[in-house]
Each structure stands twice: as C-alpha cells, then as structure tokens.
Amino acid sequence: MSTAILTGPPVPGSPLEGDLRSLGFDVRSAADEREAAALLTAVPAPERVAVVDARFVGHVHALRLALTDPRFPAAAVPGALTAQPEARPALTRALTATTAAPSAAGPARTAGTDTDPAGTGAAPAAPATAAATEPDRPDAGLPGTLPDRLAEALAAGGTQVHRPELGSLVAAVPADAQSRKETRDAVDAVDDEAVRLRSAVKARDGFFTTFCISPYSRYLARWCARRGLTPNQVTTASLLTALVAAGCAATGTRGGYVAAGLLLLLSFVLDCTDGQLARYSLQYSTMGAWLDATFDRAKEYAYYAGLALGAARGGDDVWALALGAMVLQTCRHVVDFSFNEANHDATANTSPTAALSDKLDAKGWTVWVRRMIVLPIGERWAMIAVLTALTTPRVVFWALLIGCAFAACYTTAGRLLRSLTRKARRTDRAAAALADLADSGPLALAVAAPFRKAPRTFPAATALVGAAAVVATAALAPPDSPWPALAALLYVITSGIAVARPLKGALDWLVPPVFRAAEYLTVLVLAARSDAPQALPAAFGLVAAVAYHHYDTVYRIRGGTGAPPAWLVRTIGGHEGRTVAVAVLAAVLAAGSGFTVALTALAVAVALVVLVESIRFWVSSGAPAVHDEGEPA
C-alpha cells in the first residue's frame, strides 16, 4: 500500500481523496509542513509516498501518470509529488529543510508544460504558460504549494524529478473559488478515459499494427485492466497461443495450416495488448520488458519449427530454410542492437544521412513506406500467417528470407552511411556494451591479451576475415575433414585481435553481428552438409539456445544491469569456443548419427545453463522498471 499525504485545509466536496484511494493510496491529512514531516517519517521506508495539495483539481489520469508510474524515483505535476523508496531520503531532507525555512514562492507550473524524455504516449503538450503571467487561467497552479516546493528542492538536490507530459489533461491548484470552478469546467471538458486509451497505443509503430490491430486491441487492453489481468499474464497467453499455432502447423494438413495462421494473428493481437495494458495501467517492470522481448523471439522461432515439422510430414525437408530464416532474423536484430548501443550516448552524433532521414520523415507517406519495407514484426507475422494458410511452408520461408534479406540490406546500408558520415565520439560505456555483445569466450580473450597495447587495427574488417574464412571452409571443404576445424582456430585468432582494443571506431558496431553470423552460419552449413540424419533440427535447437543467450544479454544491458556474469560466458564457451566445438564434432562425427546426438547434447547443455541463470537473474533482479518502446523489427 502506498501513502498519500494531503497538505493544507480540506476543500468541501472535493473528490481528491477518493481519486487517490482509487489509485491505491492510503490517504492521510496534514495541516502544515511539520505535521506532513511527521506523517512522512511514520510511513515505512519500503513504501511509495505522495505529497498532494488538498486544493488540487485535475484528471485522475494526470494523478495516475504522476503518482503511480514505477519507472521513476520521483515524479510531479502541479500540486502533487511522489517519491519511491530510493528517493524517500531526499524527500525527507527537502521536507525538513522546508519546515525549518520555507522557501519563497516561485512561478507555478501548469499542465502540459514539461517534456517527457521517457515517453508516456500522451497527447502533445500545450504551449508553456507561466501562471504568474496569467493568474486568471483555470489551469494556473498556485505559487508556493508544498508539493511544488518539494519538487524544486529535490531537483536542486540532484534527484531527477520526472514530469509527465499531460497534453490536454488538467493538473492545477486553483487560487480561489472562481478559479476552482473554471478548472473544474476544464476537467469536465476533456474525456479522461479517451486520453488514457489513446496514450495506451505506442506512439511509433508499423503500418499493420497501427491501422489493423491497435484500433481494437486497446479496448482489449482496457478489458484486461478492469479484470485485474497483468501485462505479464497477457504476454504468457500470447506465447501459449503461438505455441498452439506452431503445433497446428506441425500437423502438415491444410486445416492445420489455416488454424495456425489464425492463431498466429491472435497471438500478435495479444502481443500488442500486453504493451498497451502496461501503458494503460502503468504496470511497467523490468521482467515484463524481458518477457515481452524474449517471448516474441520464442514464438516466432517455435512457429518456424512447427512449419518445418509440418513440411516434413508432407515429405518436404525445409529445416535448412527454417534455420536460415532464424539466423537472418537474429542477425538483423543484432545489427539493430549494436548500432543503437554504439551511438546511445555518442556526442556530435549527427550526419547528412540522418538529416535526409529527418526530411523524409516530414513527408507522411514516406514514413509508412519506410516502416513497412523493413518488415517489422506486425507486417512479418501477417505475411507468415496469410502465406501459411494459403501456400506451403517452403513458400513461407522463401518469402521470409527474401523479405528479411532486403530489409537487412536497407537498414544496414543506412547505418553504414550514417556511421561513415558522422563525426561522433563514442564513450567507454558504448565500447563496454559492444564488448559484452561480442560474447567473447576464454579462447578469444586469451588471444586478445598480447594485442591490447598493439596499434589499433580495423576490428570489423578483422572479424569479417575470420568469419568469411570459417563459413567458406565449412561450405567448401568436406565436413568430416580437419579443414573446418583449422579455419575455426583461425577464427579464434581474428576474433581475439578484433576485441583486443576498445570498440570505439565508426564501424566497430559491426563486430557483434559479424560474430553472430559466423557462428550461426557455421553451424547451419556443417549440419546441412553432414550425412548425419536429423542434424539440421538439432542445429536449429542449438542456434535457438545460443540466440536466447544473446537476446538475454541485450536486455540485461538495456535494463541497466550489465551483461551476464563472466562465468556464464566461459561455461558456454563464447562464440568462438562453440564454433570450434561444432567444427571439431563435425570432423569426428559427421559421417554418422553421432553428430546429431552431439549437437543435441550441446544444445541441451547450453539451454539449461543459460535458462537457469537467466530465470534466476530476472526473477530476483533489482533493476529499475523499464518499458521498451524501441523493440526492433
């Protein structure tokens, strides 16, 4: 239970206390600052606390945005302030200082005048207006209210105070009865629930999602909220629906394919609903962001496996295409992740290419065309669902490979141009993130050690040489010969040299995706060329387990918790260690079923180690709540 402290004399007929209780607050009243300080001290340290002026007038959703969002240690709107446990000591100090020596009143803030760097999805803010220059405005806050002074004191003391963008929502402390009536009229003129529903939809999304799913999924999100369902429960329902869809596809019948396509679309509707429910009810969490991201990949790749099984029932072996689609899609994501991390906090981060992109975004139709051609998850799943119902798994996979390859070329080319034309200075944080995404194991790190003080090379080119060598050798040399294993040893050397120095160059963000492509493609090619029966399904399982580890790494970094522990990377060998292991296994066992057994055992071992550690971490993680609006295609 959270606690709200109402300060100042109560206002007869005010619904404020009821509004706060509806938001889950235990409401207590304080006549002055000293009583408020005493009440604050009595609230248990692990609880959220809010300080609200009793004269506050505004929409319930304005209070919800300010007082219940779990992502921010402190947040405020005019007349209301909240502090989570980590900001409680700063609030106590500010209130104590205010009690000892009340600060002079300053100009009040008005609704919709602050920007929202994290994004709430609310309507655009109204132009900034100072209450001091328009004292008769109904939304003008009363200067010097205790919550406003405390918010200013927190900010001055170094505590970041989030100020949600309110747009058309009202939050104010009227100065007199007439202003109160006018403010109340302004509240009644805006449909609080309509604003809340509108802001539940992601501000930036694909064409299919925006126009074919969100217009009704937002109402499903509200239905879920009113029945007490959580975003994580909806995410789980989406996963289960996709797994049933994969099972239907695995039947290999036309009826099964039709059912699979319909269920895949339903799964996507639920996938949109969970994020909209999180925004609608402000139920953000670190674990929720992780589940949403990793379950998306699990659903898609499980569906690929279902299609491959269904095709096999009809006598068509498409496991190589299924694995190729998974490799291509995963490498696309790694390109997105690496580029974004490399430029997350880069300075002087501008380029002519970025300027051209901004100009194109100013044209409405180009925005939607550019979003569609990158084949984001909505368009991709719609294509998969329709083609599954109407054609064959082979057609589905070829369409995926062609569409995703074009999208990968388009996005990667744009990022290469941006990197080559901008003069950004990349930070140690970015270099550390790229090093973590590289997933280098003990072999590569041992090679890297003597090169740490050597002159800087071109890491992306060095990594690419090793990657091309191992993949080409796996494709051209007999799989049971020693040549792929020798090429894998060369790959270890080039991989170590590539990561020996901090990855701060313009194109160094290419190193992690090159490593991913080298490892995954080596597994795919060796399995496809071996004589071992069912080697490709076993390779699919191995790549899926390793890809999960790489996605888990990404979302730990995005959540601000750092990469997985070093012991985990050492235990599963790093990308270069696994590449060597698969190449050696192919040389020794490729002629018989032993290679399939070895790949399966390796997949199970990697999956067990990675899943156990990942689940342990995310269940017990103390990371701050996040909500990812930038999930790539």
Side-chain angles (χ1 to χ4, degrees):
M1 174 68 75
S2 302
T3 299
I5 301 173
L6 285 180
T7 63
V11 178
S14 172
L16 178 59
E17 186 170 339
D19 291 343
L20 291 170
R21 293 189 190 281
S22 72
L23 297 177
F25 286 92
D26 177 25
V27 181
R28 304 177 185 178
S29 298
D32 53 30
E33 287 90 339
R34 294 185 184 280
E35 192 172 341
L39 289 174
L40 176 62
T41 303
V43 176
E47 288 188 9
R48 174 195 288 270
V49 67
V51 180
V52 184
D53 194 290
R55 297 162 293 181
F56 176 90
V57 175
H59 288 100
V60 177
H61 193 50
L63 285 174
R64 182 182 290 108
L65 290 172
L67 304 185
T68 68
D69 196 322
R71 297 173 295 174
F72 309 105
V77 292
L81 166 73
T82 188
Q84 294 207 68
E86 56 266 40
R88 285 278 304 277
L91 177 61
T92 300
R93 289 193 298 270
L95 186 54
T96 301
T98 300
T99 302
S103 62
R109 298 181 181 272
T110 61
T113 62
D114 292 292
T115 58
D116 177 14
T120 63
T129 306
T133 61
E134 292 188 83
D136 57 337
R137 280 176 53 91
D139 63 345
L142 181 67
T145 64
L146 178 60
D148 294 341
R149 299 203 310 270
L150 292 175
E152 295 296 338
L154 285 176
T159 300
Q160 185 173 1
V161 179
H162 170 67
R163 296 185 183 274
E165 184 176 325
L166 299 180
S168 58
L169 297 176
V170 176
V173 180
D176 52 45
Q178 179 60 29
S179 296
R180 186 173 187 82
K181 178 184 181 304
E182 293 173 357
T183 305
R184 195 72 249 171
D185 290 342
V187 170
D188 294 338
V190 175
D191 188 340
D192 177 271
E193 181 60 20
V195 172
R196 187 182 179 190
L197 263 179
R198 190 166 58 247
S199 63
V201 177
K202 189 185 293 186
R204 178 185 174 89
D205 223 327
F207 180 89
F208 179 76
T209 305
T210 299
F211 294 103
C212 300
I213 303 296
S214 293
Y216 57 87
S217 61
R218 70 183 74 182
Y219 295 101
L220 179 58
R222 180 172 66 181
W223 183 89
C224 293
R226 290 177 175 177
R227 282 151 184 82
L229 298 177
T230 67
N232 289 352
Q233 290 171 332
V234 178
T235 301
T236 303
S238 176
L239 173 66
L240 295 176
T241 303
L243 294 179
V244 174
C248 291
T251 63
T253 64
R254 178 52 53 195
Y257 289 149
V258 172
L262 292 174
L263 287 171
L264 187 65
L265 287 176
L266 175 58
S267 175
F268 183 64
V269 171
L270 294 173
D271 183 57
C272 295
T273 301
D274 63 3
Q276 292 166 358
L277 175 58
R279 287 182 286 274
Y280 182 84
S281 56
L282 301 184
Q283 296 183 73
Y284 301 116
S285 69
T286 301
M287 186 174 183
W290 167 72
L291 286 177
D292 186 47
T294 54
F295 279 12
D296 277 352
R297 307 285 79 79
K299 289 180 288 189
E300 188 166 2
Y301 300 158
Y303 193 82
Y304 292 176
L307 283 174
L309 288 170
R313 286 179 178 272
D316 189 12
D317 187 353
V318 297
W319 276 106
L321 295 178
L323 181 49
M326 181 167 67
V327 169
L328 179 55
Q329 191 58 29
T330 304
C331 289
R332 280 185 67 197
H333 285 152
V334 177
V335 169
D336 293 337
F337 297 142
S338 294
F339 180 80
N340 291 335
E341 288 301 325
N343 295 282
H344 177 77
D345 51 3
T347 56
N349 198 13
T350 59
S351 75
T353 308
L356 175 61
S357 179
D358 292 340
K359 289 181 179 179
L360 290 175
D361 282 343
K363 304 288 186 181
W365 65 272
T366 65
V367 172
W368 295 115
V369 170
R370 294 171 68 209
R371 291 186 191 179
M372 291 173 68
I373 62 176
V374 300
L375 207 62
I377 188 170
E379 277 75 357
R380 191 168 68 251
W381 282 27
M383 181 186 75
I384 294 171
V386 171
L387 292 179
T388 298
L390 299 179
T391 64
T392 65
R394 182 172 290 273
V395 172
V396 174
F397 285 125
W398 274 116
L400 264 175
L401 288 168
I402 294 170
C404 289
F406 176 80
C409 291
Y410 171 78
T411 55
T412 304
R415 285 166 179 160
L416 285 171
L417 287 173
R418 290 188 183 206
S419 299
L420 292 172
T421 57
R422 67 169 38 130
K423 298 180 179 179
R425 292 184 296 276
R426 292 167 179 84
T427 63
D428 291 338
R429 177 205 170 280
L434 290 179
D436 291 334
L437 289 174
D439 192 36
S440 300
L443 295 178
L445 294 178
V447 170
F451 290 93
R452 298 203 184 280
K453 294 185 179 180
R456 177 178 172 79
T457 58
F458 297 95
T462 305
L464 187 59
V465 168
V470 70
V471 174
T473 305
L476 299 175
D480 57 352
S481 71
W483 293 110
L486 292 175
L489 292 177
L490 173 63
Y491 175 65
V492 170
I493 295 172
T494 58
S495 298
I497 296 173
V499 298
R501 300 290 300 274
L503 299 175
K504 292 185 177 182
L507 297 179
D508 287 359
W509 56 270
L510 285 169
V511 171
V514 167
F515 287 165
R516 295 299 80 76
E519 178 184 1
Y520 297 164
L521 287 175
T522 300
V523 174
L524 188 161
V525 172
L526 290 175
R529 299 189 67 231
S530 75
D531 295 327
Q534 302 301 312
L536 277 168
F540 188 97
L542 174 59
V543 173
V546 175
Y548 175 88
H549 163 62
H550 291 142
Y551 282 112
D552 186 55
T553 300
V554 166
Y555 284 94
R556 292 197 196 206
I557 294 172
R558 283 189 168 186
T561 58
W567 70 261
L568 176 65
V569 178
R570 289 195 301 269
T571 300
I572 61 176
H575 68 94
E576 81 290 351
R578 292 186 297 270
T579 303
V580 170
V582 173
V584 171
L585 289 173
V588 176
L589 304 171
S593 60
F595 188 46
T596 300
V597 173
L599 286 177
T600 302
L602 185 57
V604 171
V606 171
L608 282 177
V609 173
V610 168
L611 281 172
V612 168
E613 158 57 21
S614 176
I615 293 171
R616 180 210 64 78
F617 170 80
W618 288 104
V619 169
S620 61
S621 174
V626 297
H627 188 73
D628 181 24
E629 292 284 12
E631 173 64 16

